[in-house]
Amino acid sequence: MPLDDVVFLGDKIPVEVTRILPLLPLISKRSLTRVLSLVVKFLTGNLLKQKQEELAIPLNGQLEKELKSGWEKVKKKSKYVQEQIDYATKTNLFSVLFTGFYIMLRAMIRQKIKIPYLREQLTEMGLEEELINLFIEAYETKKEEFEFMCLDKTNWFHHVLNVRWRVDVIISNSIMTKVFKPILLLQLELDSGKIVTMEVTLEQFHKLRLACASLLNDMYNIENHPIMKIRD
């Protein structure tokens, strides 16, 4: 199946993922499991950077050994695969695999896709059944913990709990005796406890109203777009 059918990674599959795909069949599932487990620990905040670097050194040597051995057993060699092998070994094989797995697992978490669809997508990427099961197991068992960590690390805007308003009318000023210009006074109470007060003219209020209506309409259109129903 063409990689164009793989959509959970976005409109275009990241190059970090395409680079590791031809390498995976050449490496033992045991070593790939170790890399994936480190990615899981990293995503859940259970892997310190110093510890990651300590584990990466011996694991990288084992990965390179298996990759070289697996490539030697391939009778019909591909120039493209050879280029990916050269790049990975020159850069750092462990880092290349770790980054690819990280991007894939993070996309699964963000998309919140269902298991049957996830299995179909990973199959279209050419992953072997055993490796697919490893990804699904990691996604299923740690999904709630992943989502909690993502929410915990996300910066949110404050929510408006209450809005108070009144209209003041300027009857006159130092220049004109009769003005009769309305001014809208808004007071916003945020969930942080902060009170924000602002004055807006009638023209500014209409612009604000139009901007809010346009934003709500855009949100409605996005929610009803076919691509947003891809998980169903």
Side-chain angles (χ1 to χ4, degrees):
M1 298 289 288
L3 290 180
D4 292 340
D5 295 331
V6 180
V7 296
F8 84 96
L9 287 165
D11 296 335
K12 185 179 179 182
I13 297 181
V15 65
E16 292 85 357
V17 175
T18 58
R19 278 177 177 156
I20 70 170
L21 294 180
L23 310 180
L24 300 180
L26 306 174
I27 302 172
S28 72
K29 299 304 174 291
R30 180 183 178 184
S31 295
L32 293 177
T33 303
R34 292 177 64 188
V35 176
L36 185 58
S37 66
L38 291 176
V39 174
V40 171
K41 289 180 180 180
F42 179 78
L43 281 169
T44 53
N46 296 320
L47 181 64
L48 299 176
K49 185 176 180 181
Q50 181 180 359
K51 187 66 175 178
Q52 177 187 343
E53 292 174 351
E54 292 175 0
L55 294 170
I57 295 173
L59 183 53
N60 185 68
Q62 178 65 26
L63 289 168
E64 289 185 354
K65 182 179 178 181
E66 292 180 2
L67 182 63
K68 182 180 179 182
S69 176
W71 184 235
E72 288 176 351
K73 295 176 183 178
V74 176
K75 295 181 180 179
K76 190 176 181 180
K77 299 187 182 334
S78 166
K79 182 180 179 182
Y80 172 76
V81 177
Q82 182 65 64
E83 290 175 350
Q84 301 310 314
I85 292 175
D86 293 341
Y87 172 84
T89 52
K90 182 180 179 181
T91 305
N92 183 284
L93 181 54
F94 170 79
S95 297
V96 172
L97 291 172
F98 187 95
T99 303
F101 282 178
Y102 171 79
I103 292 173
M104 292 172 63
L105 203 52
R106 186 182 61 178
M108 297 174 197
I109 300 164
R110 288 181 172 178
Q111 293 292 334
K112 298 182 181 179
I113 56 181
K114 296 180 180 179
I115 300 302
Y117 178 72
L118 175 59
R119 183 178 293 276
E120 178 185 331
Q121 289 281 283
L122 295 177
T123 302
E124 289 177 353
M125 292 176 66
L127 270 63
E128 296 181 1
E129 186 68 21
E130 193 174 350
L131 185 56
I132 291 175
N133 292 333
L134 289 175
F135 268 105
I136 291 177
E137 182 182 357
Y139 175 68
E140 276 189 312
T141 56
K142 295 289 185 179
K143 182 168 61 174
E144 292 184 2
E145 193 172 350
F146 286 148
E147 292 175 357
F148 175 79
M149 288 296 297
C150 289
L151 290 173
D152 189 52
K153 293 180 179 179
T154 302
N155 293 322
W156 301 94
F157 290 106
H158 291 297
H159 293 241
V160 178
L161 298 180
N162 189 29
V163 178
R164 301 177 63 188
W165 63 275
R166 78 165 187 247
V167 177
D168 293 337
V169 179
I170 300 176
I171 298 176
S172 62
N173 56 30
S174 59
I175 300 176
M176 301 177 64
T177 56
K178 292 183 179 181
V179 179
F180 295 106
K181 184 177 181 180
I183 294 292
L184 184 64
L185 182 66
L186 293 174
Q187 189 177 76
L188 309 178
E189 181 183 350
L190 306 182
D191 58 359
S192 62
K194 185 179 180 180
I195 304 295
V196 179
T197 305
M198 66 184 79
E199 286 185 353
V200 295
T201 64
L202 195 60
E203 293 80 7
Q204 290 172 327
F205 176 71
H206 284 314
K207 288 182 179 179
L208 176 63
R209 199 160 57 89
L210 177 61
C212 290
S214 300
L215 182 59
L216 289 172
N217 183 63
D218 291 341
M219 291 172 61
Y220 175 81
N221 292 334
I222 292 174
E223 288 175 354
N224 287 273
H225 195 280
I227 199 171
M228 300 301 292
K229 302 177 182 179
I230 200 167
R231 293 173 297 182
D232 297 335

